[in-house]
Amino acid sequence: MKNNQDAIEQVQVDTSLQLPCGKTIKNRLVKAAMSEQMADKRSNPTAAMATLYKRWAKSGVGLILTGNIMLSKDARGEPGNVVLDQFSDKQAFSDWTQAVHSEGGTIFAQINHPGKQIPAFLNMKPMAPSAIPLGGPLAPAFMKPREMSEQDIESVIKQFVATSKLAKEVGFDGIQLHGAHGYLVNQFLSSRHNIREDSWGGSFENRFAFVRELYKQVREAVGNDFPIAIKLNSSDFEQDGYSEEDALKVMFELQQLGIDFIEISGGTYEVQAMVDGTGENSGGYFLNFATRAAKELNVPLAITGGFRSRKDVINALAKDIDMVGLARVMAIHPDFPSKILKGEDVEVSIPRLTTGSYKLDQFMMVVLSWYEVQMARMGNGLEPNPQMSVWRAVWYTMKQLGTDAFKPRRA
């Protein structure tokens, strides 16, 4: 029998959350975004994706966020990304959302433009706020971008609007704008990556202008009762770049505009804090910053990264974080949320995936491949296999992507 403290803690997880737009999320657990790499050759969602997301909906998680949904085929971060535009098969998207709704789930579309973080084999002429090449270990796989013109900026905002409207039309319950991990929105916000001298760069106010205009135009298109969330970095963890102080200012401005919730993450392709955390807390990579933000802001906050136990989830919620995002754990333990919601004192481990050679791991993208295979298994109606060897995962990815399997795709 649970003691009184357990009962108090459990109410915290089970409690519904009403977003500013009026939409209610049934509990505080979120299936956070993971890139599935399961689109068909026309960049539409497959039947396997519907099966995968139906499996996640059965877990009872309060909200499901999709992996990257891109604005156009020439702005994909990876070859298997889904694209939602005027050429898309809307029935395939409706089948995807209906699969989640059939299990009583809620699903938001995560909408993204990679900016300069598009691999060269997908686009040799990427664009970004400024013509600054990507740095870090992945740099050789990405081309130096050209600086976006005013027309480019206006065109991309229109693409975000069009994809957002389509997302509502095909049955998504809301959208999440991807403003983290070094993608285009994050690039505009960063003083390191945005050194423009016009009204879109320079001062904080100008760097924020892209996000402000993007939110306003999307809100006008989808209406006041349709949820719009955003994923933001707590920091880029780069010198002279987007900092925690910048993040707090961005969050405050978005709160004033009416954003429905903010998911906190961190890092870019140059500094991959979203993969390994910041070292600040094993039970929530960005918990220290999120706790600070919760004290200064009223907007609902979600935090993703490093949650492996019910205890860690409860700890975050006790610090006034509104929702906790679960990512890789959902790829190998899809029933993790249901166990937490039942009050089980559950804790799971994430395997250390390696071939034994760091260089080979990086070249073959072992970790990415392994988790993609777990999701593919669920898409085929199978259970995940946490004991699967990395070699089997790499072989599967080779069959799916061919030579693209060995080309750097993302962090």
Side-chain angles (χ1 to χ4, degrees), residues 37-338:
Q37 288 297 284
M38 292 170 66
D40 65 19
K41 292 182 180 180
R42 295 180 56 207
S43 299
N44 290 308
T46 59
M49 289 185 71
T51 300
L52 168 64
Y53 276 74
K54 184 181 180 76
R55 178 70 177 85
W56 278 330
K58 287 181 179 179
S59 73
V61 68
L63 174 63
I64 293 175
L65 298 171
T66 71
N68 286 323
I69 294 178
M70 299 302 186
L71 311 179
S72 66
K73 293 190 75 171
D74 63 356
R76 291 173 295 155
E78 300 174 86
N81 284 153
V82 169
V83 174
L84 180 54
D85 63 10
Q86 60 181 326
F87 305 109
S88 297
D89 180 354
K90 290 192 286 187
Q91 185 58 53
F93 280 88
S94 294
D95 291 344
W96 185 12
T97 58
Q98 179 54 38
V100 172
H101 294 156
S102 69
E103 296 294 335
T106 297
I107 181 170
F108 283 18
Q110 185 190 77
I111 300 173
N112 190 14
H113 189 296
K116 64 183 163 190
Q117 289 186 169
I118 302 177
F121 73 94
L122 289 178
N123 189 331
M124 293 289 288
K125 298 179 180 180
M127 58 184 179
S130 299
I132 300 173
L134 190 74
L138 296 176
F142 297 80
M143 299 300 293
K144 180 180 178 179
R146 64 174 176 82
E147 181 172 300
M148 297 173 72
S149 66
E150 285 266 358
Q151 185 176 359
D152 290 329
I153 294 171
E154 293 170 2
S155 176
V156 168
I157 291 175
K158 288 179 180 177
Q159 285 181 309
F160 268 104
V161 170
T163 297
S164 299
K165 289 172 66 177
L166 285 169
K168 182 177 181 180
E169 181 181 340
V170 299
F172 286 103
D173 301 296
I175 60 168
Q176 183 190 56
L177 305 173
H178 201 330
H181 300 173
Y183 294 120
L184 184 67
V185 173
N186 187 209
Q187 290 164 32
F188 268 98
L189 291 170
S190 170
S191 57
R192 179 185 178 93
H193 297 281
N194 179 359
I195 57 172
R196 300 175 70 95
E197 297 180 351
D198 60 6
S199 61
W200 300 100
S203 66
F204 170 81
E205 184 69 18
N206 287 356
R207 286 183 282 117
F208 180 70
F210 180 81
V211 186
R212 181 194 304 109
E213 191 61 27
L214 175 59
Y215 175 82
K216 285 184 175 179
Q217 290 196 29
V218 170
R219 173 59 75 197
E220 183 178 358
V222 300
N224 292 329
D225 59 351
F226 189 73
I228 302 175
I230 193 167
K231 187 169 190 171
L232 290 174
N233 275 358
S234 58
S235 170
D236 291 351
F237 304 100
E238 295 184 282
Q239 188 175 1
D240 301 323
Y242 176 87
S243 66
E244 290 190 358
E245 297 307 317
D246 289 329
L248 287 169
K249 287 192 286 186
V250 170
M251 294 165 74
F252 177 79
E253 294 293 335
L254 287 168
Q255 173 181 281
Q256 298 302 102
L257 288 170
I259 199 80
D260 284 294
F261 79 83
I262 298 172
E263 181 185 8
I264 297 170
S265 188
T268 69
Y269 280 20
E270 296 181 348
V271 181
Q272 300 170 27
M274 63 283 202
V275 177
D276 300 314
T278 62
E280 67 177 49
N281 193 311
S282 59
Y285 291 161
F286 312 102
L287 185 57
N288 289 345
F289 172 80
T291 302
R292 177 186 174 190
K295 292 177 180 178
E296 298 187 26
L297 300 162
N298 296 318
V299 63
L301 299 178
I303 179 175
T304 297
F307 291 96
R308 307 287 182 258
S309 70
R310 176 178 175 272
K311 178 181 177 181
D312 289 338
V313 170
I314 294 296
N315 180 52
L317 294 175
K319 295 178 182 294
D320 291 328
I321 309 304
D322 297 282
M323 293 183 284
V324 171
L326 310 170
R328 288 181 174 177
V329 66
M330 292 287 287
I332 50 177
H333 300 288
D335 294 321
F336 185 61
S338 64

